[in-house]
Amino acid sequence: MKKHIAVLAGDGIGPEITDAAIAVMNKIGEKYGHEFEFEHLLMGVCAIEKTGEPLPQYTIDRCLASDSVLLGAVGGAVGDKRIESLPGHLRPEAGLLKIRSALGLYSNLRPAKLFPALAGACPLRKDIAEKGIDLVVVRELIGGIYFGERGRGVGEGGEFAYDTEKYSVEEVTRIAKIAFELARKRRHHVTSIDKANVLESSRLWREVVHNVAKDYPDVELTDMLVDNTAMQLVKNPAQFDVVLTSNIFGDILSDEAAMITGSIGMLASSSLGATKRGLYEPIHGSAPDIAGKDLANPIATILSAAMMLRDSFDMIKEAEDVENAVNEVLNAGYRTADIMSEGKTQVKGSEMTKLILERI
Ligand code: NAD
């Protein structure tokens, strides 16, 4: 099979980790007789420096012409005045929101899994960690308060600002379907997150999710308030299989879910819309503090490439091959600095990639 992949390496450690994922995909291509063609495009600080905007139209057009998109990370160092003084729509993060919306990617899937070999890195109590963590946050990505009407004005109390949370039946239906379909491939349980005791938009969310659930009698549905979910994720994460959320709730909860697994450098994510073309990226940022030092853990990006193989290209065996190689390297005791623990062998980012390539 021949596939054309747009690569948005981005900033900081972005180029190092996308290079690692490309090497892995090329190895898979050789082994299984596929041809992967990679086209490098600008987004983030690197795009601002060359073109004055975080996401040039050319990048959008080429992504739309691709079979799928691999993203590293975007963003400058905290305190970089040159970037931080830019208006909101010209900041690197604006590029991220824009590419998701331009590609119509309304669902963001963020698996949070505790790798048995890394159980020691889990910050939760041992008895809680031992029950296991294996959940996926399905987050609505192009609606809600991040895209709602916003503004500022002056009223009786002086200056004010507002942002609006708004969801339509259609928006909730399509994301709920993604969650129920995914639950069917997993442990048949969806927990839908809302704040229906306070927000009208959440009450609509809950109604719609229950309507969708009627088509999935084999999947159990639980409603949970967002504040309780934040607590349950640290108290008993084993109860969760698929966690269905709005844009803002998912933004917060998926970071929490990631942290309880112990390492931000291990977790992949995918964003999908109505077509097979997805955007695949690690959940971490551009880590400017370790950029260029060969310290970045490439596993999250390599596992994102595995998600692309499975979800966009239906290459199931190939995806499993990558995931097994990662597991084998961890079981053999190799660790990058971020996941290092006593008695293990510390390796550089590039060595980790090499070890994974050897096992494919
Ligand atoms: P970050 O995820 O970049 O880094 C947080 C910490 O985790 C740092 O100590 C970093 O060294 C470490 N880390 C992250 N990825 C790692 C990896 N693969 N291997 C080893 N260690 C790793 O978050 P931050 O420091 O808050 O943000 C830095 C920049 O990234 C900011 O400009 C922010 O806006 C941007 N950002 C981008 C994305 C994205 O592109 N999707 C997401 C989050 C943050």
Side-chain angles (χ1 to χ4, degrees), residues 1-27:
M1 219 185 275
K2 188 171 173 177
K3 296 288 175 192
H4 183 88
I5 297 156
V7 181
L8 311 174
D11 311 311
I13 60 171
E16 305 164 38
I17 54 177
T18 44
D19 280 353
I22 289 171
V24 165
M25 290 191 81
N26 279 333
K27 183 80 191 260

Side-chain angles (χ1 to χ4, degrees), residues 26 76 97 99 129 134 141 144 155 201 206 234 241 254 262 269 288 293 345:
N26 279 333
L97 293 185
I99 190 77
D134 183 5
L141 204 57
S201 52
R206 195 178 276 206
V234 288
D241 177 16
S254 57
S269 82
K293 298 181 181 159
T345 313

Side-chain angles (χ1 to χ4, degrees), residues 114-125:
L114 184 61
F115 289 79
L118 297 182
C122 175
L124 300 181
R125 237 174 36 214

Side-chain angles (χ1 to χ4, degrees), residues 185-229:
K185 295 188 203 152
R186 294 176 47 96
R187 303 197 303 278
H188 295 252
H189 185 207
V190 171
T191 308
S192 172
I193 314 306
D194 61 43
K195 187 73 186 165
N197 53 342
V198 179
L199 301 175
E200 199 54 47
S201 52
S202 276
R203 287 192 272 273
L204 178 82
W205 178 279
R206 195 178 276 206
E207 270 167 45
V208 176
V209 171
H210 278 259
N211 272 337
V212 172
K214 289 179 192 152
D215 293 334
Y216 299 86
D218 53 321
V219 178
E220 190 190 339
L221 170 64
T222 306
D223 299 301
M224 196 177 278
L225 294 174
V226 63
D227 38 355
N228 184 28
T229 313

Side-chain angles (χ1 to χ4, degrees), residues 211-259:
N211 272 337
V212 172
K214 289 179 192 152
D215 293 334
Y216 299 86
D218 53 321
V219 178
E220 190 190 339
L221 170 64
T222 306
D223 299 301
M224 196 177 278
L225 294 174
V226 63
D227 38 355
N228 184 28
T229 313
M231 222 158 50
Q232 294 298 329
L233 271 172
V234 288
K235 198 173 156 209
N236 179 18
Q239 71 185 288
F240 297 107
D241 177 16
V242 175
V243 179
L244 167 62
T245 76
S246 65
N247 201 343
I248 186 167
F249 293 163
D251 193 2
I252 299 162
L253 293 176
S254 57
D255 266 21
E256 187 186 351
M259 280 323 294

Side-chain angles (χ1 to χ4, degrees), residues 1-9 18 21-26 28-29 34-41 59 62-72 276-281 301 304-309 312-313 315:
M1 219 185 275
K2 188 171 173 177
K3 296 288 175 192
H4 183 88
I5 297 156
V7 181
L8 311 174
T18 44
I22 289 171
V24 165
M25 290 191 81
N26 279 333
I28 287 288
H34 305 303
E35 196 182 324
F36 299 118
E37 203 178 69
F38 299 94
E39 180 178 3
H40 288 268
L41 298 158
T59 296
R62 295 305 303 154
C63 286
L64 282 168
S66 73
D67 291 308
S68 226
V69 183
L70 178 69
L71 169 67
K276 281 270 181 190
R277 187 195 315 104
L279 179 90
Y280 297 83
E281 58 179 316
T301 317
S304 302
M307 284 180 96
M308 181 190 292
L309 293 171
S312 279
F313 304 155
M315 297 178 182

